[in-house]
Amino acid sequence: MHCRCSAQMPPPPLPAAKLPSTPWSSSIQTPDPLFKRRDFTSCALLLALINPPQLRAEISPSPPPSECLQSESPTKKAFIDVSIDGEPIGRILIGLYTESAPRGAARFSNLVSGKSGVTYRRKEFVKIMPNYIQHGGLRSFGVDAEVARKTGTNLTTADALLEEWIKQKESNNCAAANNSAKSVSIIVRDPMKSPPKLKLIARKGRLEIDEEAMGVDPNGTEFAIALRDSPELDEAALVVGRVVGGMDVVERIAQVRTVQENSSSPYFRVAKLIGDKRAVVAERGFNRPYSKVVITNCGLIDS
């Protein structure tokens, strides 16, 4: 007996339902997953920048002025009498910080009292800037250096004061500058000094590369008196005290006419860049007073 069996085929799939067409349906595209992740990340970053509550909570306010260097009480007093073109204009009283800057205060007091064998007497102010005035100090050579050497004072370098300057700079947690208005500081370094210049020299039949120093380092005898806050001095000067009397004399010195600065000249810039010594000489003359502003007398005041 024969049986006819027919295999049953599965029913054909139903046609996919079509969505009704709309005017904007043709412009709708399936978004790229990568684009979605990038877009989410960008939005998250933008929100974090606009409103960072945790970051704002961690920022601590600046310490009050009472915690800054300017709050220290001077423990020793010095005076300098000043004249302009031979005419006395008054006395400046300076209080020294012998606790926070013992080396710097000792160097300044020894130079005003003459204990070092040399003194600031008959030495000139050489620079008048908008924020401060600067005294030229003593030379690292000649008679002054020889006399100072006999008393054990080294006028050729300020290395002994650099360590104290670093400590003072690192310990200042105040938002204000160390060299605030009325501060007195000793110049211990030149932040604008050019790096050593490389040159070829013949030595024992060989060509060797040697370094030629550009400019001269401060010797720790120049000092500055700030008319107002002078943060530009923080990179160069060690604060050793402040003016406690005679600020009107300092302001009188600041009014003296000076040589106009010409550092923006392209000729000067090129000359300084290549290490031309004429640029160094010219720079020393910038902001120099036309009149002779001299310390006629100086010393310490017994408290």
Side-chain angles (χ1 to χ4, degrees):
M1 182 176 181
H2 299 281
C3 178
R4 287 185 178 180
C5 296
S6 59
Q8 294 183 356
M9 300 296 291
L14 296 176
K18 294 184 178 180
L19 296 175
S21 61
T22 57
W24 60 84
S25 61
S26 60
S27 62
I28 297 177
Q29 299 178 358
T30 303
D32 182 8
L34 180 61
F35 173 76
K36 292 174 65 178
R37 288 195 296 269
R38 289 178 179 175
D39 187 53
F40 175 78
T41 305
S42 302
C43 293
L45 289 174
L46 182 60
L47 290 174
L49 289 174
I50 294 176
N51 187 23
Q54 295 181 355
L55 181 61
R56 292 181 179 178
E58 292 176 359
I59 298 177
S60 57
S62 301
S66 60
E67 297 179 12
C68 302
L69 178 65
Q70 297 81 1
S71 63
E72 181 177 349
S73 299
T75 53
K76 183 182 291 188
K77 288 185 180 180
F79 74 90
I80 54 175
D81 296 332
V82 185
S83 68
I84 299 178
D85 287 336
E87 177 186 352
I89 61 171
R91 170 173 290 188
I92 303 173
L93 298 177
I94 300 171
L96 300 176
Y97 300 144
T98 57
E99 295 181 0
S100 64
R103 293 181 182 177
R107 170 67 68 93
F108 190 87
S109 63
N110 289 342
L111 289 174
V112 296
S113 65
K115 185 178 179 180
S116 299
V118 289
T119 177
Y120 284 131
R121 193 178 295 113
R122 295 189 295 275
K123 302 298 188 297
E124 301 180 37
F125 284 88
V126 298
K127 185 180 292 187
I128 299 177
M129 302 296 289
N131 291 338
Y132 64 91
I133 61 175
Q134 182 175 329
H135 190 270
L138 286 76
R139 294 182 177 180
S140 301
F141 56 89
V143 177
D144 287 341
E146 291 294 332
V147 173
R149 191 176 297 111
K150 293 179 180 179
T151 61
T153 303
N154 186 4
L155 296 182
T156 61
T157 178
D159 292 344
L161 304 179
L162 275 174
E163 182 180 349
E164 199 164 74
W165 169 80
I166 294 173
K167 181 179 178 181
Q168 185 181 88
K169 193 171 185 297
E170 292 178 348
S171 62
N172 180 28
N173 296 321
C174 182
N178 276 337
N179 285 270
S180 60
K182 298 184 180 182
S183 66
V184 180
S185 56
I186 294 179
I187 309 297
V188 297
R189 64 187 294 267
D190 182 8
M192 302 301 294
K193 182 183 176 182
S194 302
K197 183 179 179 181
L198 300 180
K199 62 178 182 178
L200 283 174
I201 61 171
R203 183 178 297 165
K204 295 182 180 180
R206 293 182 178 181
L207 286 177
E208 298 181 359
I209 299 178
D210 195 9
E211 292 184 350
E212 180 183 4
M214 306 300 295
V216 181
D217 291 321
N219 63 1
T221 63
E222 302 172 72
F223 68 91
I225 302 177
L227 292 156
R228 53 191 63 88
D229 289 357
S230 307
E232 65 271 26
L233 284 176
D234 286 353
E235 297 299 324
L238 167 68
V239 178
V240 297
R242 71 168 182 262
V243 175
V244 295
M247 196 62 192
D248 57 321
V249 179
V250 179
E251 294 173 353
R252 174 82 179 274
I253 297 173
Q255 296 173 0
V256 175
R257 188 165 171 260
T258 60
V259 177
Q260 184 177 1
E261 183 174 338
N262 195 28
S263 58
S264 60
S265 168
Y267 301 103
F268 173 80
R269 290 182 177 181
V270 172
K272 188 172 182 181
L273 182 63
I274 64 177
D276 194 328
K277 294 183 179 180
R278 291 174 295 181
V280 178
V281 174
E283 191 173 24
R284 290 175 183 171
F286 294 160
N287 302 296
R288 193 177 185 93
Y290 282 111
S291 302
K292 291 182 70 68
V293 184
V294 181
I295 294 179
T296 57
N297 193 20
C298 55
L300 296 176
I301 298 177
D302 296 332
S303 54

